Amino acid sequence: MALSAAAMLWGCSAADAGTIDEDRLLAAESDPDNWLSYGRTYAEQRYSPLEDINESNIGELSLAYAVELDTNRGQEATPIVVDGVMYISTAWSKVWALNAATGEVLWKYDPEVDGAKGAHACCDVVNRGVAVWDGKVFVGTIDGRLIGLDAETGEELWDVATVDQSKPYTITGAPRVVRGKVLIGNSGAEMGVRGYISAYDANDGALDWRFYTVPGNPADGPDGAASDEAFAEFAGETWFGDYWELGGGGTVWDSIVYDAEFNQLLIGVGNGSPWNHRVRSDGKGDNLFLSSILALDPDTGAYKWHYQINPGETWDFTATQQITLATLEIDGQQRKVAMQAPKNGFFYVIDRATGKLISAEPYAEQNWAEKIDLETGRPVEVPEARFADGPYLITPMGIGAHAWHPMSYSPKTGLVYIPVMEVPNAYADDANFERHIGRWNTGVTFMAPPEGSVPGATPEARRAYLSSITYGKLTAWDPVKQEKVWEIRRDWPWNGGTLATGGNLVFQGLPDGRFVAYSADKGEELWSWQGERGIMAGPITYRVDGVQYVAVMAGYGGSMGMATQTDWMRRPPPNGALLVFRIGGTGTIAKLPEWKPTPYARSDEEFTPAQLAEGQKQFFAFCGICHNGPVNPNLMRSAFATNAQAWQQVVIGGVLEDKGMISFAPWIDADQAEAIRAYVLSEAERLAAAEEE
């Protein structure tokens, strides 16, 4: 519901600001004052030619204003700015409209998502942004709806469910609008769903077409969707076994790009469900269109071409990462290309007309493939990497060498600026895999690195070594030469998206709260600002009344914020904020109060070795993915752990489901819940004793 309405905005109403049509989006490159769509233009280069803020005056950049948000969950959105009005989405799929020059809130909209739906969000209740078209603002919600709002007032115009809401689908990605159609995908592959992309009429939300990315149960027959022909002709033959029982995966949860030069949509397709190819498809077949870039007709959804990054995907190597369009001079010819740095660690340059591979080289450490064969377009895999005959220490692991964090491309320098992650992990085949629809289904056992794979005599020592080689990088990559030009190493992998500008600047936020500017050509740090709120989102820049601004959403979270603890981020993240900067800004943001951790939960209760073993098993099956980082409550410090009755009310009774902590009764019984409590208390005691020492 809309909480307030905007009046006039210095002679330009919010309704005028939201009036965007196809011609205006096609001409966005020549409109640097605005940031009209997710990647600024349809090419999604995340480059702005604005140069009022540049190398010579970056030292004068300071906060213009900050708008504090109402939640401490992860903030991943890219703001949209149109004619002085900014539209942002926040965690829990809320939408705000603001005066882009002052930060005055014009209106707010809350889709009133059921908090229990947060349990289906594999990677936090985030939202990556909105789209604006013809006086309307569009947002996808964590519970699978697509909503159209009035750009002037925030009033709801239409609301459609884009998924079967009885299944564990979510939406975290930003919609795109092309030729009067709102395009939206979904997420939830690990939970057990079947992926697709849908196109809705921007005026009334009527479904126009749908393309499924993986085939359904053959017994059900055709879907009556745009994908039917591709599955009948060739894609359906690439699947085996009872793959449909867990949906197959293939969710389109991030990249959707309109290639106007060829009138085609390019979409990035995600991982399989389960991850493990053996479990999913009897270890056979390419499993189209998993881990693929897929080209579709924007008017009908009809298949045009595809390029599969990882045939028979088995590691969570998605191809959902940002797809950037450009024209590059390669071997003396101007080539219209699509560029992607997907999870698997190779940088791909693909011919947009045909989908044929031009080049692919590693932009990060990887040990799963010898190379990408340029003749066939297929990887030459290291056989052991499929972990069928034993554990394999793989680099990168499923978190990827590059996740959703936006990269940027500067036509001025010819470089792509990638937030890179170096995160290894040991995979093993889960021979005792059990289906848990609605919870994580990987078919993979994550274990200590095998002896001999890294230094260390014990599993604990080998884990410690892995932690020492887990880090992040900001990498400037030459897509023509396929080589690194410069890089900056980070202590932690999970760093913010990038923005490149005509002022020879690259901006990036960091999880420790810093916002930093570098020279785009050399990677020299030129400026930084500390806001104490971790930054993951992609920055933008725009101009209002002749003044250039740089804006970024701050708020640490996402999958690593939920699942990974760090030595330097023990406190729960504070509420997020929109941060906006300008030359000579005079804005302020409150410093965070001193924080002291809640004591570890301690009890004199005694538990059997069998209870502790069962508790450890169930904790890592169900709890660790959400409660091992700073975002959600630390169970080892939870007062509920010291009260068996209260613990049962939460874990089995679901009394906190409105906060995302649903009942786990569909997957575990009361004795198993008690065993988890036993393990939590034993770990809390161990950690407390170590802290006292």
Side-chain angles (χ1 to χ4, degrees), residues 341-527:
K343 280 188 178 183
N344 71 16
F346 284 86
F347 191 95
Y348 292 82
V349 179
I350 297 168
D351 188 303
R352 283 154 43 199
T354 63
K356 300 298 182 183
L357 180 65
I358 296 173
S359 64
E361 293 294 336
Y363 67 91
E365 294 293 327
Q366 67 81 31
N367 67 354
W368 65 273
E370 296 177 12
K371 64 178 182 178
I372 308 299
D373 188 313
L374 297 185
E375 292 296 321
T376 65
R378 298 173 71 91
V380 179
E381 294 182 7
V382 175
E384 297 81 5
R386 287 193 170 261
F387 55 89
D389 299 320
Y392 188 75
L393 179 63
I394 191 156
T395 301
M397 67 166 292
I399 198 71
H402 176 215
W404 62 269
H405 312 81
M407 67 184 191
S408 55
Y409 166 69
S410 170
K412 194 169 185 177
T413 63
L415 302 179
V416 180
Y417 305 96
I418 314 169
V420 176
M421 298 186 289
E422 303 283 4
V423 187
N425 203 357
Y427 282 29
D429 185 21
D430 185 357
N432 300 312
F433 170 71
E434 298 177 1
R435 299 166 64 239
H436 297 298
I437 294 192
R439 305 314 306 147
W440 276 59
N441 296 276
T442 65
V444 176
T445 297
F446 305 100
M447 56 183 294
E451 189 172 355
S453 62
V454 295
T458 66
E460 291 75 19
R462 294 194 291 275
R463 283 196 185 97
Y465 176 78
L466 280 193
S467 295
S468 73
I469 60 171
T470 296
Y471 57 93
K473 297 185 294 189
L474 172 58
T475 298
W477 187 261
D478 186 326
V480 176
K481 295 180 180 180
Q482 283 282 21
E483 64 183 24
K484 175 183 65 181
V485 175
W486 56 260
E487 74 177 20
I488 298 167
R489 179 164 168 155
R490 308 289 192 204
D491 291 336
W492 186 243
W494 204 240
N495 295 281
T498 67
L499 162 70
T501 76
N504 192 36
L505 298 173
V506 173
F507 291 90
Q508 185 185 34
L510 305 179
D512 63 5
R514 286 202 305 150
F515 190 47
V516 191
Y518 304 90
S519 60
D521 55 351
K522 298 178 182 178
E524 297 174 345
E525 183 173 323
L526 304 175
W527 170 88

Side-chain angles (χ1 to χ4, degrees), residues 584-626:
T586 58
T588 60
I589 187 169
K591 287 190 67 65
L592 300 180
E594 183 180 356
W595 176 79
K596 293 184 178 180
T598 302
Y600 284 107
R602 306 184 81 166
S603 170
D604 294 332
E605 298 172 85
E606 295 184 358
F607 302 97
T608 68
Q611 278 182 302
L612 295 174
E614 177 68 13
Q616 182 183 45
K617 173 186 172 183
Q618 300 302 335
F619 178 90
F620 284 106
F622 295 107
C623 310
I625 196 65
C626 291

